[in-house]
Amino acid sequence: MDEEKITRAYLETLSFSDLKKLADEYGVDVPEDLDSRFLLSEILEIVEESRHDKDAAMIISFDKDVNQSTNLPDGYNETNISCVLRNPVWIFAFWDISDTDMNMLKALPDYSLGLRVCILSSETDLTPEEVLEIELPNGVNEQYVLIPAGKSFLRIELVYTSGSTREVLAFSQVLSIPKSSEYIENYQPGVQNDFPEIMKLSGIEKVLSDQYTNYRHSFL
């Protein structure tokens, strides 16, 4: 593909496996559950960088009517929700709602959206052993979610409520949560935290306090 010009339109015609093969050529490690949209943008970014490298053989071009930015489009007119594990304590969830589903919601007398965090006992478990809910402000399409301490598997669902009706619009893949330090999992401001003296020298207490204060979400 050294002489083939790669465009976003071309990449969008490829299957996930073909995108993964192309990414492998550039040394990009691709997780199996990575969203294809992120992989596509990653490939475009790498190819564009290589264009400015004198030793690069890859040429990138964009159609005249296509924005050359590698930013993701506003949406793909599909209702879905995806999650990215930021670290063992936080998950970043983001979602799209299709025009059809949005028109359905707007036709309701009133509705509200929320995230339902389903705690699972195993990766293949369909029935949650515990459910936590986050109420969403109007107009948002992303949310940081605090992972409950000591949990190993979870799934996040995008749900809507209208009157007595409560339905799931979309659900994410099951995430496996790596084990983190108990100091991070159990940290709470104002509560005595027995950090080893060498950890205190690193400033970990201030880092955790700032993160807790700025990003903590209440489960309702």
Side-chain angles (χ1 to χ4, degrees):
M1 295 184 63
D2 290 347
E3 298 179 355
E4 183 176 358
K5 294 185 177 181
I6 296 179
T7 65
R8 178 180 291 275
Y10 168 72
L11 292 179
E12 288 178 343
T13 66
L14 301 181
S15 65
F16 181 82
S17 60
D18 289 335
L19 288 173
K20 189 173 183 297
K21 289 178 182 178
L22 184 58
D24 288 340
E25 294 180 14
Y26 290 93
V28 178
D29 185 20
V30 182
E32 291 296 330
D33 58 351
L34 181 67
D35 192 291
S36 61
R37 294 171 294 177
F38 281 93
L39 178 56
L40 185 150
S41 290
E42 182 70 12
I43 293 174
L44 283 176
E45 182 177 347
I46 293 173
V47 173
E48 185 169 21
E49 289 176 355
S50 70
R51 183 181 63 172
H52 301 292
D53 189 332
K54 294 181 180 180
D55 298 326
M58 183 62 67
I59 302 173
I60 182 169
S61 69
F62 292 88
D63 297 331
K64 292 182 179 179
D65 59 343
V66 176
N67 190 332
Q68 293 191 16
S69 171
T70 57
N71 292 334
L72 292 177
D74 292 336
Y76 288 86
N77 200 25
E78 297 177 354
T79 300
N80 57 64
I81 181 170
S82 299
C83 299
V84 176
L85 188 66
R86 181 183 181 188
N87 54 43
V89 180
W90 292 96
I91 287 175
F92 179 66
F94 55 98
W95 56 91
D96 286 325
I97 300 178
S98 69
D99 293 342
T100 300
D101 285 340
M102 183 56 69
N103 290 334
M104 177 273 293
L105 292 173
K106 291 180 177 179
L108 299 173
D110 56 68
Y111 75 91
S112 61
L113 294 175
L115 296 182
R116 184 158 57 191
V117 182
C118 301
I119 310 301
L120 309 174
S121 59
S122 70
E123 192 170 6
T124 58
D125 191 14
L126 298 179
T127 303
E129 59 182 13
E130 184 180 355
V131 174
L132 306 170
E133 299 194 5
I134 303 173
E135 185 177 348
L136 297 173
N138 293 331
V140 303
N141 64 350
E142 58 187 41
Q143 179 82 13
Y144 276 103
V145 177
L146 179 65
I147 302 173
K151 306 304 179 182
S152 299
F153 301 96
L154 60 82
R155 179 183 70 242
I156 297 182
E157 299 174 345
L158 177 65
V159 301
Y160 78 88
T161 301
S162 177
S164 60
T165 301
R166 185 173 183 78
E167 297 289 344
V168 175
L169 287 171
F171 55 87
S172 74
Q173 74 278 23
V174 175
L175 290 180
S176 176
I177 311 301
K179 184 65 176 175
S180 66
S181 166
E182 63 179 12
Y183 295 112
I184 297 177
E185 289 186 344
N186 301 324
Y187 178 82
Q188 294 185 41
V191 177
Q192 181 65 32
N193 298 284
D194 297 325
F195 293 102
E197 290 301 320
I198 192 170
M199 289 185 65
K200 291 181 180 180
L201 293 175
S202 71
I204 186 65
E205 289 181 291
K206 184 178 187 307
V207 171
L208 292 179
S209 178
D210 289 345
Q211 177 167 295
Y212 190 95
T213 301
N214 295 327
Y215 298 106
R216 177 179 176 271
H217 299 287
S218 298
F219 290 112
L220 304 177

